Amino acid sequence: MIRVENLVKEFGGARILHGVGFDVGERQVLGVIGASGSGKSTILRCLNGLERIDGGSIECDGVRLEAGLTKAEYQRRVRELRRKVGTVFQHLHLFPHLSALGNVAEAPVQVLREPRRDALKKAYELLEAVGLAQAAERYPDSLSGGEQQRVAIARALAMRPRVILFDEPTSALDPRRTNEMRALLRRFAAEGHTLVVVSHSINFITGLADRLLYMEGGEVVEFGDAQQLLNSPREARTRDFTQQAR
Amino acid sequence: MKRTLEAAARLASTAVCLLFLTPAAPAQEALRWGADPSGGAPYVYADPSHPDTYIGYEVEIADALAKAMGRRAVFVPTDWETIVQALQRGAFDVVLDGLEPTEDRARQILFSKPYYVFNLQLTVRKGETRIGSLEDCRHRVVGTLSNTAASRLMEKQGIPFRGYADPVGAYRDLELGRIDAVLMDVPMEMFYARSNPRLKPAGEPFYKGVYVLGLRKGDEKLKAEVDAAVDKIVNDGSLETILRKWSLWNDAQLELRAASNPNGGAAAGESSGVKFEMTSATFNWRGAILRLTQAAGVTVLIAFGSMFIALGLGLLLALGQWKGAAGLRFLCTAYVEFFRGTPVLVQLLFLYFGLPVVGISMPNWLTALVGLGLNYAAYESQVYRAALEAVPRGQWEAAYSLGMTPALAFRRIIFPQAFRVALPPMTNDFVSLFKDTSVAFAISVWELATAYREMANASGEFLLLGAIVSAFYLAMSLPLAHLARRLEARMNRRRAVLAVESEVAA
Ligand SMILES: Nc1ncnc2c1ncn2[C@@H]1O[C@H](COP(=O)(O)OP(=O)(O)O)[C@@H](O)[C@H]1O
Ligand SMILES: [Mg+2]
């Protein structure tokens, strides 16, 4: 589903990602772990086209981004890519002027041109699915952090993406909510989505990810099967991180 | 105190004269006379070839009168519209500016004997065929000077007219087609319109009025002096010489000569035996309130119209400055700096007087509406810009991630949020705009400020009319200001909630 090769990203001459490579199969969950500043969020931002890559390539469900493309062609492909990829940001970025229902239904109506009634009905079902049916008419500033997060997830799901990117989905959750979130994400994978989940919490990732990518300073330290990487890592640095972060 | 000072000054000047060994001329008392020299030809105006000196037939009459009184004429430039008030405040001793005796002025000041008999003349454009007399102007707009025999005559007959501050503006607007005719005293018509190839007189001169000098109530001694001087220059032919020189002499003036034999108590419409017509500003409060309400309507129209322009154009300017290419960004910034850096009054005058030079002419109310709109667009663009920049970048990114194009993201996500932020300052600007509509008086738009000035000048009711006009302004601006405060409070509450939430999240 996703294949990333030799991905390079620079900010003003400073190289942030040094040739990152990994792949994710359909319906798989990829966990991206690593210390703060190691480049996890930047990988996600490259995957949904918010950052233009400076080297290597990204292939996702048949759409291929390369560093050498013209600006117009890159933009065209990014638009295509965004039809397939949904994102739940760390800071959510809910639309404060729309109700929970409006947040979820806005893009299906405006981008997919779904009839308003259908879109609202579907949005309501999605909110129901994440356990927020009773909050549909409320505005983001009256929702708790966990409720806001579930609105953001419903908003991404409404576009029916094949791939969903999550950046630190547990940063605003208490432990009980963390377990619920893990179950929810597992369900999405079972329902046919491919997930990339960035987290610095080993606890959360354990039992969720099929594959794990451990990042340090913009480089891949280790990439492989989640069980194996957690239980018997090849690299000492991986072991240090997973044990420390546990 | 003042007298001793004057005496001292006289003493000093005498001393200076002695010092220079010139024969000491008998110290002459001044006759300070007030008149409006702007657009004041042929009465009194700045000499085109020596702009620092004033000329005009009334300058010469003032000199002749002063000579007859053994005084020295001193000219005090003033404003026609407030000339009676300036006289009462003591800015000068007499008004000598084509002043017609009217009943309402008679309540405020004294009149001298008449020194000139005038008629009114209607003027139209060269090609005009529909207008042959004032009666044909019932459904047209006639220009004239505010608070003159002509304006009062039309007010009485119910003919729609527009009051100007000087004849130049009236005849220019007639040429431009902003009005259909101009009614003016013959001296002005002769000087400003008779030789203009694009204009022609409509019908014969009509109406018979007189010019007198105006004096302060209680100045009976000076009035006797002035009346004697008028008689003298009427009878010794020096007045005729002056009027002939300025091509203002006609047989009607002979009546003054016959009348100057001091033998009659002056009744209304008859001064020393000269029969003349007299207009009066018929001030009634019902009519006044009605006209003020009309003026308030114009104010509202201008305020809403210009705010509409300001909001639309302001958004385009903000977008150009924010996301435009370098050239566009420069143009937008130049626009904003120009309109914020120059007075709105000058901008209006430029639009009204300058644009017709290149063939663009708008009626005055539209000029005010467009001018204020262009001006406020500069301010609103900055309100928008600040508001747009206040929307976090994450909102764009979330919209993009959902597949929105930049245009769609702006329309559905960014703009609605920015608009909320911009609404309180915009409402505040709207309140200021309401008050700023008063600059439209500079181009004679009949809005509240103009209405106040003209009606108060005509009636002397400065206090009461002022109170009513203020009440009108407040009735419009207070609800808006209240709305602005409520919006602001709501914005602040929302911001406080967000701040608490982000603290909790951190
Ligand atoms: N827009 C940017 N401009 C410059 N540097 C950036 C930008 N975004 C991220 N970085 C840098 O890239 C590095 C990786 O950041 P990020 O991907 O956010 O790390 P993580 O999500 O793993 O904490 C950090 O050193 C950060 O300072
Ligand atoms: Mg991050």
Side-chain angles (χ1 to χ4, degrees):
Chain A
M1 181 56 71
I2 304 172
R3 178 179 300 277
V4 173
E5 279 170 347
N6 203 21
L7 173 58
V8 173
K9 177 66 200 169
E10 296 173 350
F11 283 114
R15 190 161 282 208
I16 300 300
L17 297 180
H18 307 258
V20 172
F22 58 88
D23 56 71
V24 194
E26 201 170 343
R27 291 169 180 244
Q28 275 196 335
V29 180
L30 170 69
V32 181
I33 55 175
S36 177
S38 57
K40 307 184 295 294
S41 296
T42 305
I43 291 178
L44 291 195
R45 293 171 60 81
C46 291
L47 280 175
N48 66 12
L50 286 176
E51 304 291 354
R52 187 168 175 180
I53 64 178
D54 299 308
S57 67
I58 294 173
E59 197 168 332
C60 179
D61 197 18
V63 183
R64 191 177 161 81
L65 299 181
E66 290 167 49
L69 296 173
T70 64
K71 197 173 168 191
E73 177 62 15
Y74 197 92
Q75 273 306 310
R76 199 189 62 74
R77 295 195 188 179
V78 163
R79 273 201 293 280
E80 207 180 326
L81 179 73
R82 285 177 181 156
R83 292 282 161 115
K84 304 169 184 290
V85 178
T87 307
V88 178
F89 293 89
Q90 177 174 4
H91 299 294
L92 307 180
H93 306 318
L94 291 181
F95 304 137
H97 61 299
L98 299 176
S99 66
L101 201 61
N103 266 276
V104 180
E106 180 71 8
V109 172
Q110 299 294 335
V111 179
L112 302 179
R113 304 244 147 250
E114 286 180 12
R116 190 162 199 90
R117 283 180 70 100
D118 300 356
L120 286 174
K121 187 161 165 286
K122 212 185 68 192
Y124 190 81
E125 288 165 5
L126 282 168
L127 286 174
E128 218 167 19
V130 294
L132 268 183
Q134 80 291 347
E137 303 298 331
R138 283 162 63 189
Y139 282 78
D141 60 11
S142 74
L143 298 173
S144 73
E147 289 168 330
Q148 290 187 11
Q149 183 152 41
R150 282 178 282 161
V151 174
I153 291 171
R155 180 175 72 175
L157 284 172
M159 293 299 283
R160 291 185 301 261
R162 301 203 64 186
V163 176
I164 313 179
L165 313 177
F166 290 87
D167 198 351
E168 308 279 6
T170 58
S171 57
L173 300 183
D174 57 42
R176 191 167 66 84
R177 295 275 172 202
T178 304
N179 289 333
E180 281 178 22
M181 181 63 63
R182 191 192 296 112
L184 190 64
L185 297 195
R186 275 257 54 111
R187 202 178 85 209
F188 293 155
E191 286 166 359
H193 293 97
T194 304
L195 309 185
V196 179
V197 183
V198 164
S199 179
H200 58 260
S201 159
I202 301 295
N203 268 331
F204 178 65
I205 277 302
T206 308
L208 170 64
D210 305 304
R211 314 268 283 165
L212 269 184
L213 179 68
Y214 172 55
M215 298 287 301
E216 217 177 274
E219 286 177 14
V220 179
V221 175
E222 194 165 343
F223 169 62
D225 179 71
Q227 292 295 327
Q228 182 246 313
L229 194 138
L230 287 171
N231 296 330
S232 48
R234 274 176 281 127
E235 298 282 331
R237 287 184 291 170
T238 312
R239 178 190 309 270
D240 290 348
F241 179 79
T242 53
Q243 284 183 347
Q244 204 177 13
R246 205 175 277 271
Chain B
M1 182 62 199
K2 196 170 163 237
R3 199 165 261 178
T4 36
L5 268 182
E6 265 170 27
R10 224 173 291 155
L11 212 78
S13 68
T14 315
V16 169
C17 288
L18 284 174
L19 256 172
F20 285 90
L21 296 173
T22 44
Q28 280 189 332
E29 217 176 328
L31 176 68
R32 295 177 308 147
W33 60 286
D36 184 353
S38 74
Y43 301 71
V44 45
Y45 60 108
D47 185 349
S49 47
H50 301 95
D52 53 330
T53 53
Y54 290 107
I55 57 173
Y57 80 90
E58 294 200 325
V59 176
E60 296 178 20
I61 290 178
D63 286 338
L65 286 175
K67 194 168 151 227
M69 295 163 74
R71 291 184 185 228
R72 176 173 50 91
V74 175
F75 172 53
V76 181
T78 185
D79 188 38
W80 167 251
E81 303 227 337
T82 52
I83 203 162
V84 168
Q85 286 75 36
L87 171 69
Q88 288 174 324
R89 279 201 312 270
F92 36 80
D93 306 316
V94 296
V95 172
L96 177 53
D97 197 13
L99 185 76
E100 311 125 36
T102 65
E103 281 167 15
D104 43 308
R105 281 184 188 137
R107 285 194 294 274
Q108 304 175 58
I109 55 174
L110 295 177
F111 300 132
S112 75
K113 287 186 170 182
Y115 63 91
Y116 185 74
V117 177
F118 74 93
N119 304 116
L120 298 178
Q121 176 67 54
L122 190 67
T123 306
V124 292
R125 279 183 297 277
K126 198 78 188 176
E128 183 66 71
T129 53
R130 303 159 301 178
I131 300 174
S133 72
L134 195 55
E135 201 44 45
D136 299 332
C137 297
R138 283 233 163 258
H139 302 292
R140 310 190 188 284
V141 179
V142 182
T144 189
L145 296 194
S146 308
N147 204 9
T148 57
S151 74
R152 284 186 294 267
L153 191 69
M154 287 190 282
E155 190 167 0
K156 198 166 183 180
Q157 299 188 2
I159 290 168
F161 68 93
R162 182 175 303 157
Y164 287 83
D166 66 75
V168 184
Y171 286 115
R172 189 209 48 243
D173 277 7
L174 175 59
E175 273 184 53
L176 291 171
R178 284 170 174 158
I179 51 179
D180 301 303
V182 168
L183 184 66
M184 219 49 99
D185 297 8
V186 166
M188 279 181 274
E189 183 268 337
M190 277 186 48
F191 193 87
Y192 287 105
R194 195 67 67 79
S195 55
N196 186 332
R198 284 180 290 250
L199 302 178
K200 66 173 186 192
E204 294 296 310
F206 61 101
Y207 186 88
K208 189 169 111 190
V210 293
Y211 292 159
V212 296
L213 285 81
L215 300 100
R216 269 186 296 280
K217 278 244 156 97
D219 250 357
E220 306 288 349
K221 201 174 136 270
L222 185 61
K223 174 177 155 51
E225 247 186 280
V226 168
D227 280 346
V230 170
D231 278 345
K232 180 150 185 279
I233 65 169
V234 164
N235 287 318
D236 71 6
S238 49
L239 181 59
E240 181 177 343
T241 312
I242 294 170
L243 293 177
R244 277 189 191 284
K245 176 182 162 192
W246 289 88
S247 315
L248 292 171
W249 178 262
N250 54 31
D251 288 344
Q253 311 304 328
L254 286 171
E255 284 185 54
L256 294 177
R257 198 166 292 176
S260 67
N261 305 315
N263 61 354
E270 186 177 353
S271 172
S272 316
V274 190
K275 292 230 179 313
F276 60 87
E277 298 171 54
M278 195 154 102
T279 57
S280 66
T282 45
F283 192 78
N284 73 69
W285 282 101
R286 249 179 87 164
I289 302 285
L290 198 76
R291 297 202 72 189
L292 280 178
T293 311
Q294 260 172 19
V298 174
T299 295
V300 169
L301 171 76
I302 293 177
F304 275 90
S306 46
M307 197 62 188
F308 187 76
I309 294 178
L311 291 183
L313 182 59
L315 180 60
L316 295 182
L317 286 168
L319 287 177
Q321 260 191 318
W322 191 39
K323 295 261 148 146
L328 183 65
R329 197 155 57 220
F330 174 80
L331 280 181
C332 293
T333 306
Y335 179 100
V336 170
E337 295 309 329
F338 176 80
F339 276 92
R340 291 201 305 178
T342 56
V344 63
L345 182 61
V346 173
Q347 294 161 16
L348 272 197
L349 292 174
F350 172 78
L351 286 181
Y352 196 61
F353 300 115
L355 282 191
V357 176
V358 294
I360 307 169
S361 100
M362 291 181 282
N364 56 359
W365 63 271
L366 191 59
T367 307
L369 192 154
V370 170
L372 282 167
L374 295 180
N375 180 266
Y376 268 76
Y379 290 93
E380 293 325 295
S381 73
Q382 298 313 293
V383 173
Y384 274 123
R385 204 166 67 131
L388 287 171
E389 281 166 4
V391 178
R393 209 170 53 136
Q395 292 291 313
W396 284 101
E397 297 188 341
Y400 288 156
S401 302
L402 289 166
M404 294 192 187
T405 59
L408 186 59
F410 179 78
R411 191 162 60 77
R412 299 290 308 181
I413 306 302
I414 306 305
F415 181 75
Q417 294 183 50
F419 193 72
R420 269 148 220 248
V421 178
L423 206 51
M426 274 175 180
T427 316
N428 275 324
D429 281 352
F430 196 32
V431 175
S432 320
L433 176 57
F434 249 102
K435 294 178 288 182
D436 277 358
T437 53
S438 59
V439 298
F441 93 93
I443 55 175
S444 309
V445 179
W446 183 263
E447 44 68 63
L448 270 176
T450 313
Y452 173 49
R453 193 178 61 156
E454 290 194 5
M455 292 170 66
N457 282 334
S459 67
E461 298 279 1
F462 284 88
L463 275 182
L464 209 47
L465 280 172
I468 296 175
V469 166
S470 305
F472 265 109
Y473 274 118
L474 286 175
M476 297 186 285
S477 63
L478 279 185
L480 277 173
H482 179 70
L483 180 69
R485 266 198 305 281
R486 271 192 21 194
L487 289 171
E488 213 147 7
R490 192 192 308 164
M491 284 296 307
N492 288 339
R493 250 200 326 276
R494 174 155 296 192
R495 234 175 270 134
V497 168
L498 289 179
V500 168
E501 295 243 332
S502 59
E503 247 168 63
V504 168

